Amino acid sequence: MSTAVKPATTPPLPPVTLQRIGIVMMSAVGDAVHVMPIIHALKAHAPKSHITWVLQPGPATLVRGHPLVDDIILFDRSKGWRGFLDVRAELATRPFDVVLGLQVYFKAGLITGFTRSPVKLGFDRERARDANWLFSTHRIAPHVGQHVQDQYFEFLDALGVVHAAPQWTLGPWNDDERAWQREFLAQFSRPIAPIVVATSKAAKDWMPERWAQVCHVLWNEYGVQPVLVGGRSPREVAAEAIIMREAPFAHSALGSGLRKLSAILDGAAVALSPDTGPLHLAVALRTPVISLLGYTNPKRVGPYDFAHDLMIDAYGDPGEDYPLDMTYREGRVERISVEDVTAKLAVWRARYEQERLAQLRSRGLLSG
């Protein structure tokens, strides 16, 4: 299937047959979530295309088995240089018509370089880091800063692939996972509110003592069951201990794994999260999510197209029209108060609660 291509790449793309498509995006869960609308659009444009995705083991667990992802090649960076050799061997048996290099760092460039394809489409020089652009044969046109999701859409524009509202279809999609979701939710007499207690970077985290205070508000004022979610890293376990000590009625589901976390978020009345993968997963699932951002730029990594009115922006100063760039701001998350979060809970109650609870009841995920 040939595609009419806009002059949006350097050098200009030749006619591209979208039959065998490779995607190099190996990073975190949030990035994997942002790739899903790209895959949806590619499959809608070329339904018979075969899509191979190079992923790290963590985010791979989230998308493995997805009906639109035909093949996953694992990159295990914990293996060091052997991980690169393993990926190179896997890619040697898979020729592509086009490879999308959606990640801008050197390690991703190396893996893009391992692929066998006449077109390896990457970012322009200004946005590609670590000389990543050297590993691509073609580059999308330079562009002013955009949200991460919109940056990925630039690759579709370069290929002439039409895209509309983003689609994800993430969440429990087989009978066993749906049964586990129903069983998990059945143990509570109230709607649940998952709280993502920590992230991969301490500067993004909110203080566990404040999460504990929010748990009391959820329980006493909103009749909602707080559920702690995430992994079991030392910081997450430490946060869990503080929150459970000060709010013993909270339920901990730390360490459930990404697939079960997706099921928990999918069955929630409201979620609360700093800037980390589960925030974007909640957005994709259309679960109302109160997001706490301060270290990273909300214009670039905030909720994409849903629940903007539930976002707490501590990144900018009041009235500041900050640029859309990748600058990190230390110490900003600490500015967020418990009152800031409870104010967003009031917004959730006024604008989202009734509709969300009705959705959960209609799906058999909430009784009463």
Side-chain angles (χ1 to χ4, degrees), residues 268-341:
V270 60
L272 302 94
S273 177
D275 175 27
T276 187
L279 162 61
H280 304 291
L281 183 54
V283 171
L285 293 167
R286 287 325 197 230
T287 297
V289 54
I290 296 172
S291 50
L292 289 67
L293 287 91
Y295 178 72
T296 47
N297 192 328
K299 294 180 181 179
R300 185 176 182 276
V301 299
Y304 178 65
D305 67 341
F306 179 69
H308 282 282
D309 53 352
L310 298 180
M311 183 180 75
I312 300 171
D313 180 358
Y315 182 86
D317 293 316
E320 178 188 1
D321 184 18
Y322 50 82
L324 202 165
D325 58 25
M326 294 190 55
T327 302
Y328 301 121
R329 295 185 174 183
E330 298 279 352
R332 295 297 177 108
V333 176
E334 298 171 4
R335 297 180 174 187
I336 299 174
S337 67
V338 172
E339 290 72 23
D340 291 330
V341 176

Side-chain angles (χ1 to χ4, degrees), residues 28 195-208 211 229-237 239 254 272-280 292-296 333:
I195 295 174
V196 182
V197 299
T199 71
S200 61
K201 192 173 184 65
K204 296 181 182 181
D205 293 354
W206 204 42
M207 291 73 86
W211 279 130
V229 295
R232 295 204 64 82
S233 69
R235 280 191 297 106
E236 288 167 307
V237 170
L254 293 190
L272 302 94
S273 177
D275 175 27
T276 187
L279 162 61
H280 304 291
L292 289 67
L293 287 91
Y295 178 72
T296 47
V333 176

Side-chain angles (χ1 to χ4, degrees), residues 63-102:
V63 299
R64 190 178 301 281
H66 194 285
L68 301 185
V69 180
D70 300 291
D71 191 15
I72 291 176
I73 297 176
L74 291 180
F75 169 64
D76 189 347
R77 66 179 181 180
S78 69
K79 293 182 178 180
W81 61 270
R82 293 183 183 275
F84 288 93
L85 294 180
D86 290 345
V87 170
R88 186 174 68 174
E90 291 286 340
L91 289 171
T93 65
R94 295 169 171 85
F96 299 108
D97 301 307
V98 60
V99 170
L100 306 183
L102 299 176

Side-chain angles (χ1 to χ4, degrees), residues 55-345:
L55 266 171
Q56 291 190 74
T61 63
L62 180 65
V63 299
R64 190 178 301 281
H66 194 285
L68 301 185
V69 180
D70 300 291
D71 191 15
I72 291 176
I73 297 176
L74 291 180
F75 169 64
D76 189 347
R77 66 179 181 180
S78 69
K79 293 182 178 180
W81 61 270
R82 293 183 183 275
F84 288 93
L85 294 180
D86 290 345
V87 170
R88 186 174 68 174
E90 291 286 340
L91 289 171
T93 65
R94 295 169 171 85
F96 299 108
D97 301 307
V98 60
V99 170
L100 306 183
L102 299 176
Q103 198 167 358
V104 297
Y105 298 102
F106 184 76
K107 67 178 181 182
L110 280 177
I111 290 174
T112 300
F114 294 155
T115 60
R116 297 167 53 204
S117 177
V119 175
K120 302 177 184 181
L121 184 60
F123 279 100
D124 56 282
R125 292 191 185 193
E126 184 174 348
R127 287 182 285 179
R129 297 186 173 189
D130 303 334
N132 177 277
W133 60 270
L134 290 171
F135 298 95
S136 56
T137 63
H138 299 76
R139 288 160 287 282
I140 60 175
H143 198 288
V144 296
Q146 293 197 90
H147 192 282
V148 170
Q149 187 69 73
D150 289 318
Q151 287 189 165
Y152 293 170
F153 283 144
E154 291 180 54
F155 284 77
L156 297 180
D157 295 335
L159 292 170
V161 174
V162 176
H163 54 92
Q167 298 180 61
W168 286 275
T169 61
L170 290 167
W173 51 61
N174 62 51
D175 290 342
D176 288 343
E177 290 176 342
R178 284 187 284 269
W180 182 90
Q181 181 188 48
R182 289 191 296 271
E183 182 179 350
F184 178 84
L185 295 172
Q187 67 184 302
F188 306 113
S189 60
R190 305 172 176 217
I192 68 167
I195 295 174
V196 182
V197 299
T199 71
S200 61
K201 192 173 184 65
K204 296 181 182 181
D205 293 354
W206 204 42
M207 291 73 86
E209 294 83 0
R210 296 185 189 178
W211 279 130
Q213 293 180 60
V214 169
C215 285
H216 280 275
V217 174
L218 289 166
W219 180 267
N220 294 314
E221 298 182 26
Y222 287 86
V224 175
Q225 171 68 58
V227 175
L228 311 186
V229 295
R232 295 204 64 82
S233 69
R235 280 191 297 106
E236 288 167 307
V237 170
E240 174 193 47
I242 294 170
I243 297 168
M244 295 297 292
R245 183 186 69 230
E246 300 187 12
F249 49 83
H251 176 90
S252 178
L254 293 190
S256 297
L258 279 173
R259 295 291 279 251
K260 290 180 178 177
L261 172 59
S262 178
I264 293 170
L265 292 170
D266 180 63
V270 60
L272 302 94
S273 177
D275 175 27
T276 187
L279 162 61
H280 304 291
L281 183 54
V283 171
L285 293 167
R286 287 325 197 230
T287 297
V289 54
I290 296 172
S291 50
L292 289 67
L293 287 91
Y295 178 72
T296 47
N297 192 328
K299 294 180 181 179
R300 185 176 182 276
V301 299
Y304 178 65
D305 67 341
F306 179 69
H308 282 282
D309 53 352
L310 298 180
M311 183 180 75
I312 300 171
D313 180 358
Y315 182 86
D317 293 316
E320 178 188 1
D321 184 18
Y322 50 82
L324 202 165
D325 58 25
M326 294 190 55
T327 302
Y328 301 121
R329 295 185 174 183
E330 298 279 352
R332 295 297 177 108
V333 176
E334 298 171 4
R335 297 180 174 187
I336 299 174
S337 67
V338 172
E339 290 72 23
D340 291 330
V341 176
T342 57
K344 292 301 181 181
L345 280 170

Side-chain angles (χ1 to χ4, degrees), residues 20-69:
R20 300 167 300 178
I21 303 170
I23 294 177
V24 178
M25 168 46 77
M26 307 171 298
S27 191
V29 172
D31 294 315
V33 172
H34 289 132
V35 171
M36 289 310 306
I38 309 307
I39 291 176
H40 269 275
L42 288 168
K43 284 287 190 176
H45 182 86
K48 295 183 179 179
S49 62
H50 186 279
I51 294 179
T52 299
W53 189 351
V54 184
L55 266 171
Q56 291 190 74
T61 63
L62 180 65
V63 299
R64 190 178 301 281
H66 194 285
L68 301 185
V69 180

